Amino acid sequence: MHTAAISHPTASSSTVSQDTMKMAGLILISIGLLGILVAAVGADYISPVLTGLGGTIVFTIGALVYIWQSRLHRSSAEQNHGLWQQDATSRGASAWVIGFVLTGFYVLLYWFPDTLQGLIQAMEPLSQWLRGRPSDQWFLYGTFYTLAILVMGVHALLKYRNSRYHIIRTISVMFFQLGFAFLLPGLLLMLNKPEYYFTYFWPLKYDYLFPGTIDYLVRDGAALGVFMVFWGAVFSFLATPVLTYFYGKRWYCSWVCGCGGLAETAGDPYRHLSDKSRKAWRWEVAIIYPILGFVILTTLFLWINSWSEGRLLGDLSGGFASTYGFFIGAMFSGVIGVGFYPLLGNRVWCRFGCPMAAYLGLLQKHFSRFRITTNGAQCISCGNCSTYCEMGIDVRWYAQQGEPIIRASCVGCGICAHVCPRGVLKLENGPREDRYAGSPMIKRDELRILS
């Protein structure tokens, strides 16, 4: 007797529905990009608000739809599958195109803002609503930057949804970017107060302790300006060492900082591209600490010049500030730091150029309770930890030796522990006693085979 096979259309129809929604998301992304392109080049012929702002909204909706359908139905174990086989995440042709577009945008933003007038005009209603003043290149940049963190933050939430630590960490960077780095500065301008970013501190926001900036804040901000100066100084010299002592540099680099927020969300698909070679580590040390020293010297020179009324150093201090602003503030942190995400990984700026990372790193290595402990006996040498370390640390080597990871460059993102299939790695804030002691391991010559 033959029985007819029983079909189960539910799974098939669900797959069709997912594919349909993903296609709808891609169509919306395409329409949004077209609108943004029209606003950029055709503002004289059609309303840039309609095409640019409307296109940005449509693009955002399409991206969220596509991300939701792409990530929600994929199991936690498959989230990183195929990264080295995908053209966009393995330095293929599309990666070079994305890198070129990002780099070109930063070049236009910093040195040719007039070419972006169509997009700047597109943000006019939003700028007037939030800040009560006309849009400009930096508002355009802040809007795109914030949207990138929010949209790709959803991507990260879905990708790491089985980890409470990563969910809270991602929500944190989304909250600080939207609230403290976008809405609050705009509200201050609306109230005719100085624009101030409460999540950026010296030496990253290097000019916040310059004499001219302090004078501007106190003069135009009155009591609020005094509080801003006080806030910046306290966080730079008091709160930062205390928080780093207890939590390592992760409290800032992976939870608060906008640069880190972009790296952990929009840059997450590229974290495996970081250079793990010893040569890269040597370059890291050779570049990042001199940059921190340059910021310190520039700040000191400006204060000396201010106190001496320009008699001691003349324009030397101003030249230092201008040089840093061009080569580090613009070229390194923007053009290279973000534009090269698809080619060099997502933490190029944080790893090689950020003076705040250098400052926090010194504190973390020599004056902190934070470490990543390893259980070498459980390590199977799969290499996942090293592959996905965005700071280029060879985590596997430490795990094989059973040694704790106490590196100045580690931002405590915790992805190495997340991708480990054996639970070898653990982020800890333990006592400083025996901080460098490794986990006990059984050596081969210590075994006795009983017959």
Side-chain angles (χ1 to χ4, degrees):
M1 180 178 179
H2 298 282
T3 58
I6 300 175
S7 62
H8 296 278
T10 304
S12 177
S13 60
S14 176
T15 302
V16 172
S17 176
Q18 293 171 24
D19 291 341
T20 302
M21 291 299 294
K22 288 170 67 174
M23 182 59 66
L26 289 174
I27 292 173
L28 290 175
I29 290 173
S30 302
I31 294 173
L33 285 175
L34 179 61
I36 293 171
L37 179 62
V38 170
V41 300
D44 294 334
Y45 306 99
I46 189 170
S47 170
V49 174
L50 175 64
T51 56
L53 185 57
T56 301
I57 294 172
V58 171
F59 176 88
T60 301
I61 295 173
L64 290 173
V65 169
Y66 182 80
I67 288 170
W68 186 268
Q69 293 299 319
S70 299
R71 289 291 169 180
L72 184 63
H73 303 286
R74 186 183 298 184
S75 71
S76 300
E78 298 175 338
Q79 294 293 339
N80 288 313
H81 279 192
L83 287 178
W84 284 111
Q85 284 75 45
Q86 297 174 18
D87 190 70
T89 55
S90 60
R91 302 191 182 100
S94 57
W96 281 92
V97 170
I98 295 171
F100 181 80
V101 171
L102 289 174
T103 302
F105 174 75
Y106 272 93
V107 170
L108 297 178
L109 180 75
Y110 281 114
W111 297 291
F112 306 98
D114 289 342
T115 61
L116 300 175
Q117 280 304 312
L119 294 177
I120 292 172
Q121 294 173 30
M123 301 299 153
E124 183 68 18
L126 183 59
S127 179
Q128 290 292 348
W129 171 78
L130 178 62
R131 312 188 306 165
R133 59 186 62 199
S135 176
D136 55 27
Q137 73 205 77
W138 302 118
F139 182 76
L140 170 70
Y141 177 54
T143 302
F144 282 179
Y145 196 102
T146 302
L147 283 175
I149 290 180
L150 295 180
V151 171
M152 291 303 291
V154 173
H155 176 275
L157 288 172
L158 292 172
K159 183 176 181 179
Y160 303 114
R161 63 182 180 272
N162 62 328
S163 169
R164 181 170 175 265
Y165 177 79
H166 293 300
I167 290 174
I168 297 174
R169 185 173 67 90
T170 303
I171 291 175
S172 176
V173 295
M174 294 168 70
F175 167 77
F176 279 107
Q177 176 60 34
L178 178 62
F180 285 80
F182 185 69
L183 296 178
L184 184 56
L187 180 61
L188 289 171
L189 290 176
M190 172 71 79
L191 299 175
N192 292 318
K193 299 297 182 181
E195 185 180 38
Y196 193 85
Y197 298 86
F198 287 90
T199 56
Y200 290 97
F201 316 107
W202 185 92
L204 175 56
K205 194 68 173 175
Y206 59 95
D207 60 331
Y208 269 10
L209 290 184
F210 285 0
T213 304
I214 292 178
D215 179 66
Y216 159 70
L217 291 174
V218 173
R219 183 184 67 250
D220 291 4
L224 180 59
V226 174
F227 172 75
M228 291 173 178
V229 174
F230 174 78
W231 172 273
V234 166
F235 256 87
S236 295
F237 302 115
L238 181 61
T240 290
V242 171
L243 290 170
T244 306
Y245 172 78
F246 286 104
Y247 304 108
K249 65 192 291 186
R250 60 176 169 162
W251 75 267
Y252 186 71
C253 295
S254 291
W255 289 69
V256 175
C257 178
C259 303
L262 189 70
E264 293 298 329
T265 53
D268 179 76
Y270 308 109
R271 61 169 55 248
H272 59 288
L273 299 177
S274 61
D275 192 339
K276 312 298 192 298
S277 68
R278 191 169 182 82
K279 181 179 180 181
W281 174 75
R282 292 195 184 100
W283 276 109
E284 177 185 330
V285 175
I287 296 174
I288 194 168
Y289 294 113
I291 289 177
L292 173 61
F294 197 92
V295 173
I296 295 173
L297 284 177
T298 300
T299 305
L300 288 175
F301 285 168
L302 284 171
W303 277 106
I304 291 172
N305 225 26
S306 176
W307 287 330
S308 68
E309 298 181 347
R311 290 189 296 270
L312 290 179
L313 300 176
D315 193 44
L316 178 63
S317 56
F320 263 66
S322 300
T323 301
Y324 182 91
F326 177 81
F327 287 104
I328 309 301
M331 287 293 297
F332 204 157
S333 68
V335 176
I336 297 176
V338 179
F340 284 28
Y341 270 10
L343 304 175
L344 300 178
N346 61 327
R347 287 277 190 173
V348 177
W349 161 247
C350 308
R351 183 180 177 187
F352 294 97
C354 177
M356 187 72 174
Y359 175 36
L360 289 165
L362 291 173
L363 292 172
Q364 175 171 273
K365 186 173 183 178
H366 303 290
F367 185 70
S368 177
R369 293 160 53 93
F370 174 72
R371 83 289 305 269
I372 300 178
T373 57
T374 63
N375 183 358
Q378 294 293 320
C379 179
I380 59 174
S381 300
C382 67
N384 283 353
C385 52
S386 293
T387 297
Y388 294 107
C389 178
E390 58 192 354
M391 300 305 291
I393 300 172
D394 187 3
V395 181
R396 179 174 60 178
W397 184 88
Y398 289 90
Q400 290 171 336
Q401 307 301 317
E403 294 186 7
I405 301 169
I406 302 173
R407 291 280 294 270
S409 59
C410 177
V411 294
C413 67
I415 298 298
C416 58
H418 180 79
V419 299
C420 177
R422 300 280 292 174
V424 172
L425 306 163
K426 184 178 180 182
L427 280 67
E428 293 185 357
N429 297 318
R432 286 182 52 79
E433 292 77 15
D434 298 325
R435 185 174 178 231
Y436 287 90
S439 59
M441 297 180 64
I442 300 175
K443 299 179 180 178
R444 184 167 49 188
D445 56 0
E446 294 174 345
L447 293 174
R448 291 184 179 179
I449 302 177
L450 301 178
S451 57

